[in-house]
Amino acid sequence: VNGSPVGPLSSYTFDNITSDMTISAMFTVLAEEEQPVEEFNGSITLAWDRPDDDAIAGYNIYYGRSETNYKESPKEVTTSPVDTQIEIANLEPGQVYLFSVTSHDGNGYESDYSEEISFQIAESYHNISASVLPVETGSIQSSSGGFECRNNCAGEFAAGTSPVFTITPDNGYLISDVLVNGSSAGPVSNYTFDNIAADQTISAHFTQKQYTVTASAGTGGSITPSGNTVVSHGESISYTIAANTGYEIADVTVNGSPVGPLSSYTFDNI
């Protein structure tokens, strides 16, 4: 403003103008955000015959997915006339790629394209081993189906996928921990292997639910066992109620409800 910088403002007000003024706006091109390059684990070895031409200085390797204009520019350039094969990595499994090679001399002249090769990159798989401890106390199941484990088992999953596993305890059990590749992930009910690139392991550990039975007797008698008793899911426990001399059992309550003047009571299959 009037030749002096005022910063990158989006508005400016001239107050109480009493003379000529100038205002000039300058702009700069925003830097484009760099996009991440997607990586794949497919690869091939491409080989070709060396042409009978002493002027050859190297080779241009063209390739790309079948729906692209892959001959627009070479993906690889070699500078040795005797090396006639190359390892090409970062190819997407399951996709069809086209390949062609040209030779070039030291002056930049390039030969015609070789015969075009079409090749589908094979899917690669990794093994996921699962275990349930103790066996038959719960299950590990993949969301994609076809994989349910109740003891020790394993399955193959395509590289680059992210299978989700659901951990489910049987009735009367709780998830105590889930180990992934030997490290604790906590008592989680779901676990996702992100973009798998190697064999994996998952182990679900379950523990039986436990409950506390609290027994007490009023004046004039006893209940055996008394106090707090811890029992596991599905267990049964019996109590004996006895009156002292000169007393009789008036009533027994179970979970707050009267059940009558019983001399014994059994909790079945807690």
Side-chain angles (χ1 to χ4, degrees):
V1 175
N2 298 322
S4 298
V6 293
L9 306 178
S10 59
S11 65
Y12 186 84
T13 301
F14 289 97
D15 291 319
N16 191 28
I17 298 174
T18 59
S19 62
D20 295 341
M21 300 285 170
T22 64
I23 182 169
S24 176
M26 289 158 283
F27 300 91
T28 186
V29 177
L30 288 174
E32 291 188 10
E33 184 177 352
E34 185 175 348
Q35 297 298 317
V37 177
E38 193 168 10
E39 295 186 357
F40 301 104
N41 60 0
S43 64
I44 68 162
T45 299
L46 186 68
W48 56 92
D49 295 328
R50 178 183 179 181
D52 186 14
D53 188 343
D54 292 337
I56 292 175
Y59 303 93
N60 298 327
I61 296 89
Y62 297 82
Y63 63 90
R65 283 168 47 168
S66 57
E67 70 274 14
T68 64
N69 181 20
Y70 76 97
K71 290 182 179 178
E72 188 174 1
S73 61
K75 294 288 196 307
E76 308 283 348
V77 177
T78 72
T79 56
S80 170
V82 297
D83 292 335
T84 56
Q85 73 174 36
I86 189 171
E87 180 82 12
I88 300 175
N90 197 28
L91 302 178
E92 184 176 358
Q95 296 295 324
V96 175
Y97 284 80
L98 301 178
F99 302 86
S100 187
V101 177
T102 65
S103 60
H104 63 84
D105 63 15
N107 298 315
Y109 291 104
E110 187 175 10
S111 71
D112 291 335
Y113 294 102
S114 69
E115 179 184 353
E116 185 176 76
I117 300 283
S118 174
F119 189 80
Q120 183 172 17
I121 307 303
E123 294 275 7
S124 59
Y125 292 86
H126 295 293
N127 190 67
I128 296 182
S129 300
S131 60
V132 171
L133 295 171
V135 298
E136 300 294 336
T137 56
S139 66
I140 303 175
Q141 186 173 13
S142 67
S143 60
S144 57
F147 184 98
E148 182 173 4
C149 183
R150 292 186 57 80
N151 42 61
N152 295 304
C153 47
E156 287 189 333
F157 295 83
T161 60
S162 300
V164 179
F165 287 84
T166 300
I167 297 94
T168 306
D170 285 350
N171 183 39
Y173 286 85
L174 299 170
I175 302 170
S176 59
D177 198 8
V178 174
L179 300 182
V180 177
N181 296 322
S183 298
S184 173
V188 296
S189 58
N190 291 280
Y191 188 85
T192 301
F193 288 97
D194 290 319
N195 190 28
I196 56 173
D199 291 346
Q200 311 286 330
T201 65
I202 182 169
S203 177
H205 295 245
F206 300 99
T207 185
Q208 201 168 25
K209 290 180 179 179
Q210 292 189 319
Y211 310 100
T212 299
V213 181
T214 302
S216 61
T219 302
S222 64
I223 184 169
T224 306
S226 63
N228 295 333
T229 304
V230 177
V231 295
S232 296
H233 182 89
E235 288 185 343
S236 300
I237 185 170
S238 296
Y239 287 85
T240 300
I241 299 100
N244 294 339
T245 302
Y247 289 85
E248 64 179 1
I249 301 170
D251 199 6
V252 175
T253 60
V254 176
N255 296 324
S257 299
V259 293
L262 305 178
S263 58
S264 64
Y265 187 85
T266 298
F267 290 97
D268 289 316
N269 191 27
I270 296 175

